[in-house]
Amino acid sequence: MMLLADTYPAWSWNLVADLRQMWAFPFMVNAFRAGTVVAVAAGVMGWFMVLRRQSFAGHTLAVVGFPGAAGATLIGVSATYGYFAFCLAAALVIAAIPRAGRSSGGQESALTGAIQAFLLACGFLFTALYQGLLGGVTSLLFGSFLGITTAQVWVLAAVAAAVLATLTVIGRPLLFSSVDPDVAAGRGVPVRLLSTVFLVLLGAAAAEASQITGTLLVFALLVMPAATAQTLTARPSLSLALSVLIALAVTWLGLIAAYYSPYPIGFYVTTLAFAAYVLARLGRAAGQGLPRLVPVRGAS
Amino acid sequence: MTVKPTARVREASQQTDPQRSPAPARSPSGTVVSLRDAAVRVSGRTLWSGVELDVGAGEFVAVLGPNGVGKSTLVKVLLGVLPTAAGEVRVLGEQPGQAGQRVGYLPQRRSFDASLRMRGTDIVRLGWDGDRWGVPLPGRFGARRKAAARRIAEVIELVGAASYAHRPIGQCSGGEQQRLLIAQALVRRPELLLLDEPLDSLDLPNQAAVAALVGRICREEGVTVIMVAHDVNPILSRLDRVVYLAEGGAVSGAPEEVITSETLSRLYGTPIEVLRTSDGRLVVVGQPEAPAIHSDRHAAPGAGEGKP
């Protein structure tokens, strides 16, 4: 029987050597590839989600990935397909909930919550039906970086590319209709259609992120990097870039930490993202206490 | 109510106000908005019908009436967001919604969420290119980007928002947000500006200042302004025309022609009294189901027709 210290490789503080050691294992290479793809997609989609105040919808979309993955395992196909099938279907259902303006946001939350609770219960049933999955439940809920296949990486990359390409095309009108739906509609922007497209993209991003962080900790990649970036700056392009950078940083650091320690990746990614968010809030609170230098133009 | 006093009042106003508008507003070719026997139904209820209206280029027009009569609905019809149930509507010579960037719009609104992390300039910029698909290309489109930045800075200067346009908009005051939103509506140089209760929820000094700003934009930039208003007094001295909406139709004309006990009583089919205070403000009493026009201490120096 091996000692714990022997089970987990030692961190040498030589980053190049450490990365080389990790990347000697194909499963770690795939984990880094998948993590990078997921972090970029989640960073961008999360930024729009936080701006649109649709975090709850995003959470629901992520959570329904759990019954999807459990059901897929039950019928013997890859969990990846289960994640995407359920997340995209849930996105269409949430988008179909009629809402007349912002006043009905409460009803939307209630319906979304009802869907979430029901599907979570279905996931529990699926795991109960599939006796052998018991050890897998934790990794479905809280994430795992083990056993990501090259085929899975390709699926993730293809979906992320489709999501980002769509977002590139609809980005500006989506931003307009997120911030100012009435004016955007007056300018001929199809606000309702964009909202549906956005939810479908968010479903895809949530399904992706779920596979690294688990369905319960998906906020680590969808919400926290974006919220941190938007706390740090009010410039849209800069905060979007920051959101991606933070998502990438926490994913890579989380993967490294999880490789060199016995604790799960979901914990590390979430904790790092949370730390970044707390620091950003504290930094801004401190900054607001000080007199600020602002450019003054024109007579006042 | 099927009487249409509209035409009569319009004739009356045309006879009485040649001195009112220096702009070449009244020529038929300069018609910016026209409604012919227009009617609107919202969820099965007819809000108004038989509305006849012509708005000339460069005019400053206020849309008035009690709550729920469909003033905002009129703006949405002009935007092409809501269809009409009957009649014909033309905006800048086209079907509503076809004039695109030639129409600027400021919706009735509360304010931006205080936690929204977007600067005022970003909000104005959305008015410039927020409806375009794809991403702005760098490099050879640098000139276009410079032109955009110049126009945005110019319009922010025009509304006097330069000192706070770099702040997150959620942290700006109501008046500051309203100025930035007017800048957003103006940034594409529209010929027609549709403003839905822009003075609502502003304090009195800000009401006067925003009213002055809109009046200045109308006169100096030559933009036709149609403003839905709850209270006519802050803008009374700057108006060319008012439109009173009612279920059976609308009356339009010069303020002193329309805002009278006789015209409004006839339009709404109920006794209505218009009182004039000593400093020229108008108070409408007995308007159906409305808190009516309440007073405001706007008094611009050298104000015109509303004054005794």
Side-chain angles (χ1 to χ4, degrees):
Chain A
M1 194 176 188
M2 282 196 293
L3 292 172
L4 198 68
D6 297 333
T7 317
Y8 293 96
W11 173 254
S12 71
W13 292 108
N14 178 350
L15 193 60
V16 177
D18 287 332
L19 283 177
R20 193 172 294 149
Q21 188 203 356
M22 274 188 282
W23 289 349
F25 300 99
F27 79 90
M28 275 316 283
V29 175
N30 279 343
F32 271 87
R33 283 179 184 152
T36 304
V37 167
V38 164
V40 172
V44 175
M45 285 308 296
W47 188 82
F48 278 97
M49 183 183 81
V50 170
L51 192 76
R52 291 172 66 86
R53 309 275 187 275
Q54 282 189 313
S55 297
F56 186 59
H59 180 58
T60 300
L61 292 177
V63 164
V64 304
F66 167 62
T73 315
L74 185 61
I75 62 171
V77 298
S78 165
T80 305
Y81 300 115
Y83 279 119
F84 282 115
F86 269 58
C87 291
L88 294 181
L92 289 173
V93 170
I94 294 175
I97 296 171
R99 56 168 180 176
R102 295 180 167 191
S103 52
S104 61
Q107 199 197 0
E108 184 187 85
S109 307
L111 265 159
T112 309
I115 294 168
Q116 175 180 347
F118 172 68
L119 285 173
L120 204 51
C122 287
F124 193 39
L125 174 72
F126 294 157
T127 55
L129 288 172
Y130 184 78
Q131 306 292 337
L133 193 71
L134 222 56
V137 174
T138 319
S139 69
L140 285 183
L141 289 176
F142 297 102
S144 163
F145 63 101
L146 298 171
I148 297 173
T149 63
T150 308
Q152 261 177 308
V153 172
W154 279 112
V155 171
L156 290 179
V159 171
V163 165
L164 293 178
T166 313
L167 210 53
T168 308
V169 173
I170 68 168
R172 276 190 292 179
L174 180 66
L175 186 64
F176 199 3
S177 64
S178 305
V179 173
D180 224 348
D182 296 335
V183 182
R187 275 285 177 78
V189 173
V191 174
R192 187 74 210 262
L193 175 69
L194 282 179
S195 167
T196 303
V197 171
F198 175 77
L199 276 170
V200 170
L201 295 181
L202 186 59
E208 294 215 312
S210 298
Q211 299 180 41
I212 297 291
T213 62
T215 57
L216 287 185
L217 298 181
V218 76
F219 266 20
L221 283 181
L222 270 179
V223 172
M224 287 198 272
T228 308
Q230 290 187 16
T231 303
L232 288 173
T233 175
R235 290 168 187 270
S237 46
L238 183 61
S239 78
L240 185 56
L242 267 177
S243 175
V244 173
L245 273 180
I246 294 167
L248 270 175
V250 299
T251 307
W252 277 51
L253 291 174
L255 277 169
I256 293 170
Y259 178 80
Y260 283 103
S261 76
Y263 308 111
I265 179 168
F267 167 75
Y268 285 115
V269 172
T270 311
T271 305
L272 288 165
F274 182 64
Y277 182 61
V278 169
L279 283 175
R281 292 301 295 235
L282 286 177
R284 197 169 122 211
Q288 278 171 347
L290 302 168
R292 292 175 61 202
L293 287 173
V294 290
V296 176
R297 281 190 293 158
S300 57
Chain B
M1 192 167 159
T2 50
V3 194
K4 276 188 252 169
T6 326
R8 228 176 313 150
V9 177
R10 196 167 52 238
E11 276 165 31
S13 74
Q14 276 171 342
Q15 282 160 11
T16 51
D17 70 353
Q19 88 287 3
R20 161 175 290 277
S21 171
R26 294 301 147 87
S27 65
S29 61
T31 302
V32 171
V33 167
S34 77
L35 280 81
R36 289 281 161 270
D37 200 23
V40 142
R41 292 174 70 81
V42 174
S43 51
R45 188 170 79 96
T46 300
L47 280 177
W48 37 259
S49 59
V51 169
E52 304 267 332
L53 177 65
D54 283 290
V55 177
E59 280 190 308
F60 189 167
V61 179
V63 179
L64 305 168
N67 288 339
V69 78
K71 302 187 296 274
S72 299
T73 308
L74 174 63
V75 169
K76 291 199 171 115
V77 164
L78 296 178
L79 279 170
V81 176
L82 273 181
T84 45
E88 197 197 357
V89 180
R90 307 291 282 179
V91 176
L92 294 160
E94 315 211 31
Q95 293 292 325
Q98 300 299 306
Q101 65 183 60
R102 295 166 68 203
V103 179
Y105 171 48
L106 182 71
Q108 183 177 22
R109 74 168 75 223
R110 331 48 51 188
S111 59
F112 283 104
D113 191 323
S115 63
L116 179 66
R117 299 286 291 166
M118 294 269 280
R119 296 168 302 168
T121 43
D122 301 317
I123 299 293
V124 176
R125 197 189 172 96
L126 283 175
W128 175 259
D129 61 3
D131 56 341
R132 306 233 169 111
W133 305 94
V135 285
L137 296 169
R140 57 191 263 264
F141 292 94
R144 192 185 292 175
R145 193 195 317 207
K146 260 183 220 143
R150 201 163 48 234
R151 175 60 186 160
I152 289 161
E154 181 185 296
V155 80
I156 284 172
E157 199 70 49
L158 175 74
V159 300
S163 59
Y164 48 82
H166 62 277
R167 289 218 308 259
I169 193 151
Q171 289 168 22
C172 293
S173 73
E176 290 169 345
Q177 291 189 12
Q178 205 61 281
R179 281 188 187 79
L180 286 164
L181 289 167
I182 290 173
Q184 185 200 49
L186 278 176
V187 70
R188 292 262 278 269
R189 295 191 177 86
E191 294 159 54
L192 170 65
L193 201 52
L194 301 171
L195 307 172
D196 197 347
E197 305 232 14
L199 306 183
D200 214 32
S201 75
L202 295 184
D203 57 15
L204 293 180
N206 267 314
Q207 281 193 4
V210 171
L213 170 66
V214 174
R216 187 158 58 85
I217 287 162
C218 180
R219 293 281 170 262
E220 293 175 11
E221 310 280 310
V223 180
T224 309
V225 177
I226 297 180
M227 181 193 278
V228 172
H230 191 67
D231 177 5
V232 74
N233 285 301
I235 47 174
L236 187 59
S237 62
R238 303 170 210 284
L239 285 175
D240 294 305
R241 226 126 64 85
V242 299
V243 179
Y244 254 93
L245 274 181
E247 203 183 327
V251 194
S252 77
E256 72 272 21
E257 300 288 337
V258 175
I259 312 176
T260 62
S261 306
E262 192 205 357
T263 310
L264 293 186
S265 298
R266 197 173 53 206
L267 180 67
Y268 291 109
T270 179
I272 289 173
E273 202 168 348
V274 177
L275 306 174
R276 189 175 288 267
T277 63
S278 57
D279 61 349
R281 286 175 287 148
L282 295 173
V283 183
V284 179
V285 184
Q287 195 168 252
E289 78 199 52
I293 294 175
H294 45 73
S295 62
D296 168 67
R297 63 180 155 107
H298 166 74
E305 288 72 29
K307 304 278 167 178

